[in-house]
């Protein structure tokens, strides 16, 4: 008799579908009435809010047997159960990430403002340097022009002086033969 009971219980254990318990949640956009069995013909025995975490225990037809966090088991339509974490449970992490992102954006905005300020300062300094370079280039051109004029003026002066010396030499050369000659005194001493 003992063998028959043991074999019967083993047969029932292997014939029943084996479902691993799976973490899930009620869809994020609804709340669902729960039933005492795997159809809407069973009495409503409660309700589960959207996003509430549940554990899937069994599946039959279009219904899933769930266990809520409070430990209550009941059946809900399969279309209202989603596997994985709900958006509601992800909300604190998402809010933290959003806050961090906003802080980072604020810091980046401040860095951008600082960089724009530095760029403005560099641009104004660059404009000053460009103006100084242009002024120095104009001064160089003016000085080069003065040097060129001085070279020409020195050349003209040297040519003029040379010409005057040559003219004086020619005039002197022409006049010297016409000048009375001085006689040498004769000394008999020698």
């Amino acid at each position: 008799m003992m063998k028959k009971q043991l074999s019967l219980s083993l047969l029932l254990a292997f014939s029943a579908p084996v479902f691993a318990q799976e973490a899930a949640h009620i869809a994020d956009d609804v709340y669902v009435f729960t039933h005492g069995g795997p159809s809407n013909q069973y009495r409503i025995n409660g309700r589960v809010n959207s996003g509430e975490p549940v554990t899937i225990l069994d599946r039959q037809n279009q219904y899933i047997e769930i266990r809520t966090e409070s430990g209550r088991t009941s059946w809900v339509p399969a279309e209202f159960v989603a596997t994985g974490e709900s958006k509601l449970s992800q909300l604190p992490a998402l809010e933290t990430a959003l806050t961090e992102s906003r802080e980072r954006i604020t810091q980046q905005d401040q860095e951008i403002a600082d960089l724009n300020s530095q760029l403005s300062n560099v641009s104004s300094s660059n404009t000053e340097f460009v103006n100084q370079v242009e002024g120095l280039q104009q001064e160089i051109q003016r000085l080069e022009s003065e040097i060129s004029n001085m070279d020409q003026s020195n050349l003209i002066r040297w040519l003029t002086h040379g010409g005057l010396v040559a003219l004086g030499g020619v005039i002197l050369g022409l006049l010297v033969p016409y000048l009375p000659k001085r006689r040498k005194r004769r000394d008999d001493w020698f």
Side-chain angles (χ1 to χ4, degrees):
M1 182 80 169
M2 181 79 147
K3 281 186 171 182
K4 282 188 179 184
Q5 285 180 344
L6 181 61
S7 62
L8 185 59
S9 62
L10 285 174
L11 181 64
L12 287 176
F14 286 120
S15 66
V18 177
F19 288 101
Q21 294 183 358
E22 183 179 355
H25 67 277
I26 300 300
D28 287 318
D29 56 350
V30 297
Y31 70 89
V32 179
F33 290 108
T34 59
H35 297 275
S39 76
N40 63 358
Q41 300 299 318
Y42 289 88
R43 188 180 74 123
I44 294 174
N45 61 1
R47 129 181 152 178
V48 182
N49 293 324
S50 66
E52 187 174 327
V54 294
T55 304
I56 297 174
L57 302 175
D58 193 7
R59 296 175 194 261
Q60 285 187 15
N61 300 330
Q62 301 296 320
Y63 278 77
I64 295 178
E65 184 179 17
I66 60 167
R67 181 183 318 121
T68 63
E69 285 188 324
S70 64
R72 190 179 76 222
T73 60
S74 51
W75 294 82
V76 294
E79 63 193 66
F80 298 126
V81 178
T83 58
E85 278 191 65
S86 72
K87 302 292 184 226
L88 187 63
S89 65
Q90 296 174 2
L91 187 61
L94 292 173
E95 285 177 342
T96 303
L98 178 63
T99 303
E100 290 172 359
S101 295
R102 286 183 176 157
E103 289 173 0
R104 200 169 347 164
I105 287 171
T106 303
Q107 289 174 345
Q108 290 173 345
D109 285 344
Q110 182 62 38
E111 289 176 9
I112 288 171
D114 291 344
L115 290 174
N116 283 335
S117 173
Q118 291 175 3
L119 178 63
S120 174
N121 292 340
V122 167
S123 294
S124 65
S125 296
N126 188 29
T127 303
E128 290 175 17
F129 290 141
V130 166
N131 290 339
Q132 287 177 356
V133 167
E134 287 176 359
L136 291 173
Q137 286 175 342
Q138 290 174 355
E139 182 69 17
I140 289 170
Q141 288 175 349
R142 184 186 66 77
L143 292 173
E144 285 176 347
S145 175
E146 280 183 23
I147 289 171
S148 175
N149 289 338
M150 290 173 82
D151 286 346
Q152 288 177 354
S153 133
N154 285 338
L155 182 64
I156 291 172
R157 188 176 324 128
W158 281 106
L159 287 174
T160 305
H161 287 124
L164 288 174
V165 168
L167 181 64
V170 168
I171 292 174
L172 189 61
L174 290 173
L175 291 177
V176 165
Y178 296 107
L179 289 175
K181 289 190 182 181
R182 254 173 123 189
R183 288 190 178 186
K184 250 184 167 180
R185 274 186 5 188
R186 268 189 115 157
D187 288 333
D188 286 335
W189 295 72
F190 299 114

